[in-house]
Amino acid sequence: MADFRRVEPVTILLACVAGALFGALTVATRWGVVRSEDPEAGAFMTTSVAAGVGIVAALAAVRPSELAWHELWPFLAIGVLIPGTAQVLFLYAVRAAGASRVAIVIGMAPLASAVIAVGAFGERPHAALYAGTVLIVLAGASLAWERARPVDFRAVGIALAVTMALLFGLRDNLVRVAAEAREPPPVAAAAATLVGGAVAVLLYMAVRRRRRLTAGLRGSVVAFLPAGLALGLAYVALVAAFDRGSVTLVAPFNATQSLWGVLLAAIVLGRSDAVGRRLILAALLMVGGSALVGAFR
């Protein structure tokens, strides 16, 4: 466990800010989906704005002459998976299941990351992993038993959110391998990941739409600008937190993103997201389980 007596308060603050911004991302995405009928254009706008935020942060923190560009390509490739492919799934998931429910389900990503690490990299399981798994399963059960749901709720959104959680777990392990082989500045690696995401969505749109590539982009600028800012700033805050503190310290605070997603959905979206007691209970259980898994790895 981390020794809190030696931790700078700014590290905890950055981790909390990252968790809040990732929670806000689901709400901002739902806000954009309501105002735009083009999820694909929204995904491109979100990743493009986020990439711009990452590039600005990287240029402010690192001189271009100090970068070894060949060290960044693995992170660019990882960005094709997440946030690239995942961002398209994310928008469809939020549109189908609502912001708060997607935020809760994606909160199981630390468990997916740990399970992949145990199976693929021989990481030893621990008691906290089992305890965290129980809490996360209970969170899922609480979601399954809830009675009040949005009018337009579709179960496929939950399935997409589970897929995203698995992708996040895979991303974490791929970043781990890439970071062990190369050591680029963390902010530059984050920027490369975000740029990779924007390129992936653009290529996806080019193949799917062909001549209709630019259709819907203009209407998505304002609708998905908040989501793009939230995604970009969340990545920057999280990377800055990990740069200053250990995973055991940062992960539990970042795990609060599920709870933030539910609380912000209740405040911003109101009754349309149907936030009830069981949903709040599911968020608390998910945060507790994810925090346990992340803190003791």
Side-chain angles (χ1 to χ4, degrees):
M1 291 294 291
D3 185 354
F4 283 85
R5 293 171 297 179
R6 300 179 181 178
V7 173
E8 296 180 3
V10 67
T11 303
I12 297 176
L13 177 61
L14 285 168
C16 291
V17 168
L21 285 169
F22 277 121
L25 173 61
T26 57
V27 178
T29 299
R30 179 65 174 177
W31 187 85
V33 165
V34 171
R35 287 158 179 77
S36 172
E37 297 181 356
D38 194 334
E40 294 169 353
F44 176 68
M45 185 54 55
T46 301
T47 52
S48 296
V49 172
V53 172
I55 291 172
V56 170
L59 291 176
V62 184
R63 295 179 181 178
S65 59
E66 297 176 352
L67 289 174
W69 298 102
H70 67 277
E71 294 185 341
L72 294 178
W73 74 261
F75 300 94
L76 190 71
I78 291 170
V80 171
L81 180 66
I82 290 181
T85 303
Q87 195 60 37
V88 178
L89 297 179
F90 183 59
L91 264 76
Y92 281 112
V94 170
R95 187 171 71 169
S100 54
R101 287 157 186 80
V102 170
I104 291 172
V105 175
I106 289 179
M108 67 178 286
L111 174 61
S113 178
V115 170
I116 292 173
V118 170
F121 299 100
E123 185 174 300
R124 295 182 60 184
H126 45 77
L129 175 59
Y130 299 121
T133 300
V134 170
L135 291 179
I136 289 172
V137 169
L138 289 174
S142 182
L143 277 179
W145 294 335
E146 66 169 344
R147 298 176 181 176
R149 289 174 175 170
V151 177
D152 57 349
F153 174 85
R154 287 176 292 156
V156 67
I158 299 298
L160 291 173
V162 171
T163 302
M164 284 192 60
L166 296 175
L167 289 176
F168 278 121
L170 178 60
R171 185 275 314 271
D172 292 345
N173 284 280
L174 291 176
V175 168
R176 170 184 175 180
V177 172
E180 289 176 352
R182 297 167 174 81
E183 295 183 356
V187 177
T193 302
L194 292 169
V195 169
V199 171
V201 177
L202 179 61
L203 292 176
Y204 169 79
M205 291 177 62
V207 172
R208 181 175 173 81
R209 299 188 178 206
R210 299 180 182 179
R211 296 180 180 180
R212 296 178 54 253
L213 178 61
T214 59
L217 289 179
R218 182 178 298 181
S220 299
V221 173
V222 175
F224 289 95
L225 179 61
L229 292 173
L231 177 60
L233 292 173
Y235 259 86
V236 172
L238 184 61
V239 166
F242 278 127
D243 194 34
R244 290 170 170 79
S246 64
V247 174
T248 57
L249 172 69
V250 175
F253 290 101
N254 183 53
T256 60
Q257 59 184 274
S258 295
L259 185 58
W260 279 109
V262 172
L263 293 177
L264 291 173
I267 295 171
V268 177
L269 303 176
R271 295 182 179 179
S272 65
D273 218 52
V275 177
R277 293 180 180 179
R278 289 188 178 179
L279 195 65
I280 295 174
L281 174 61
L284 291 172
L285 289 170
M286 186 65 74
V287 168
S290 298
L292 273 175
V293 173
F296 285 89
R297 284 192 67 187

